[in-house]
Amino acid sequence: MSPWLLDGLLRFGYGCKPFSLSKLKKFSPEAAQSVRQFCKTRQLPIPEFRLLPETAPIVFAYGHLPKTARIVVSQGLLDRLSDDEIAALVMAQAIRLDRGNLTGDLAVMSGLVALLQLPYTLYWQGSRLGDWLRQHQQSDRDRLPLWILWGTGFWGVATVSTLAYGLFELLRYPLLALSRRCQTASDTDVVNVTGNPNGLTRALLSLSVGMSRHLASCPDIVYLYEGWEMLAPLGTSQARFLGSLYPQISPESALAWDVKNPYSHWFALNSSHPLLGKRLYRLTRIAQFWELETQLQWGDATPLEPTRRLQTLLPLQGAPFLGTAIAVGLALVPVAIGWVDNLFDVGVVAWVYEDRWWLLGGLAMTGFSLGTFLRVNAYFPDLKPSRLDLSPNWRQWFSDGRSIPTQSRLVKVSGQLVGRSGTGNWLGQDLTLHTDDGAIRLHYCTRFGSLGNFLPQPVRPVDCLDRAVTVTGWFRRGAVPWIDIDTLQTPKGKTSPDGHPIRSTIVAVLMAVWGAYLLVRGGL
């Protein structure tokens, strides 16, 4: 049902309408000719085209059989990109419609994305309803019964919408590895068929610039990008970061971390797409092998050797889980001894085996707690005013191939806060600081984690959108750079309190108490 379900969502949610190859030819003759030739050579039916009447540049494909395959392009893509760039991106989707690729790639992704659309549509539409209810509540402040009615409805809708978004993220996570594999295979197929790695390079760069600029001017378009991200050729966060730096910083410099960092592949596990730097570097290497003039000049892009400091800091990244694993390993030793005692009926420590689940659970909680404490101390050093960097060297920080998220830089930086508005950003999941040097993602957290968003707050980041703000926090370099917010200050002096280390400390204390309770209680 995925093709028809996605057809309906695109039609009623975004106004998608039929498009044809002849109409595509008016914008990109090369794309129309390439698709027609490819389908003729592979004996495939020409896929159905759909046009999104959006000024945001986007392209993706879906379907489970060649005859049910669709390629969706937006008006923004046709208006912003050149002929050969449109052809490269459209061909990337058409090649995925080949029978061999379709059965192992696109068909599966189409079905899974259709599944993801169920909670995401509930979240998206619930957010719009929540904004409508909040507007009515504010307009009826003088009428108490209506004010209570609108407020009750708003909190109910906001709760459902937030839970739907959490379910979307939960269901999305197991699909990330498949999505990355599909994109890597797609790049290879496009280059093999078109013989033009530079064309795909230019297309990805132009698409990232177009996406970034449109997200800056129309943040709510992120619903379209986020919901269909796994079918699109670029990840939203990667495109927003790279596109915002152009032309101040070259792509080679901005993406040097992707290529040089010895652990970059580990930090991409939470991404829906492979690291863009590695994709573009691979296309450059192919062009060099074919003795073509390359689009990008990478210079020395040899991965750096891990230093002793990096090897020391890296375990802190997953310290809570590493502590849990070590604690479980230690618990298995007395459990094994108790099992042997029980087997031979010695009767000395057989009780340890009988209480094995309490012992394993208690030590696991304790190990997680100790690992969390170690991680908090390393991850969130004190933000003393004398240690804050007021003029960050973004160019150097972005390209530093030895940076890992554990190495935080203490910053105080000003810019414009941008993100989706209203209930849709209730969790602060879409906050970006636009500075003169580029866009940096912001990570916001209350003292009580996500649950704290349902408690009264002096100021919510979503209330400061489209305003000049000053952010103090910890800058980190991962697959996409970000800043963990300590304080967010507006010109009126309002600030949001620090939540990251406090939340982690609360979790560590609760886990320690829980672990101690399990150990003391045992099988009593």
Side-chain angles (χ1 to χ4, degrees), residues 295-364:
Q295 183 69 30
L296 300 177
Q297 306 297 326
W298 288 93
D300 183 13
T302 305
L304 299 172
E305 291 293 330
T307 63
R308 184 180 299 274
R309 177 174 173 79
L310 284 182
Q311 293 172 341
T312 303
L313 290 174
L314 191 63
L316 292 174
Q317 191 76 20
F321 308 103
L322 183 61
T324 303
I326 293 175
V328 170
L330 293 175
L332 290 176
V333 175
V335 169
I337 295 174
W339 176 77
V340 173
D341 186 317
N342 185 68
L343 181 65
F344 293 99
D345 197 22
V346 176
V348 179
V349 290
W351 61 270
V352 177
Y353 178 72
E354 295 174 357
D355 288 352
R356 60 190 180 277
W357 298 117
W358 298 95
L359 179 63
L360 287 169
L363 287 182

Side-chain angles (χ1 to χ4, degrees), residues 499-519:
H500 294 279
I502 296 177
R503 179 200 60 173
S504 297
T505 302
I506 292 174
V507 170
V509 170
L510 291 177
M511 296 297 280
V513 172
W514 190 4
Y517 168 75
L518 294 178
L519 292 174

Side-chain angles (χ1 to χ4, degrees), residues 122-291:
L122 179 60
Y123 153 70
W124 173 39
Q125 296 297 331
S127 300
R128 297 176 63 180
L129 177 58
D131 294 341
W132 182 81
L133 291 170
R134 174 52 65 92
Q135 290 176 0
H136 279 70
Q137 184 189 28
Q138 293 176 347
S139 63
D140 290 328
R141 288 185 176 182
D142 298 333
R143 292 181 285 183
L144 185 60
L146 287 177
W147 184 85
I148 295 176
L149 177 63
W150 298 127
T152 303
F154 166 76
W155 282 99
V157 169
T159 301
V160 172
S161 175
T162 300
L163 292 176
Y165 187 80
L167 180 60
F168 165 75
E169 288 290 340
L170 185 65
L171 294 176
R172 178 177 177 271
Y173 194 82
L175 314 182
L176 297 178
L178 175 61
S179 177
R180 292 193 299 271
R181 188 193 68 81
C182 293
Q183 293 299 331
T184 301
S186 177
D187 289 349
T188 301
D189 292 338
V190 171
V191 172
N192 287 337
V193 171
T194 64
N196 186 11
N198 290 326
L200 183 57
T201 298
R202 289 192 298 271
L204 292 175
L205 290 174
S206 296
L207 181 60
S208 66
V209 173
M211 289 175 62
S212 178
R213 292 179 177 175
H214 199 82
L215 284 167
S217 60
C218 185
D220 285 340
I221 200 65
V222 73
Y223 290 115
L224 175 61
Y225 284 129
E226 188 175 56
W228 303 86
E229 185 175 39
M230 290 196 177
L231 296 178
L234 270 183
T236 307
S237 297
Q238 293 179 352
R240 173 181 273 163
F241 164 64
L242 178 61
S244 68
L245 302 179
Y246 184 84
Q248 297 96 327
I249 302 178
S250 66
E252 299 94 323
S253 178
L255 300 175
W257 184 93
D258 296 6
V259 181
K260 291 188 175 184
N261 189 280
Y263 304 114
S264 59
H265 58 287
W266 290 109
F267 298 117
L269 294 180
N270 290 330
S271 303
S272 60
H273 290 67
L275 292 171
L276 185 55
K278 288 193 173 184
R279 294 174 68 185
L280 297 180
Y281 179 69
R282 185 164 175 259
L283 293 174
T284 300
R285 294 284 291 172
I286 293 174
Q288 291 174 341
F289 181 76
W290 288 348
E291 298 182 353

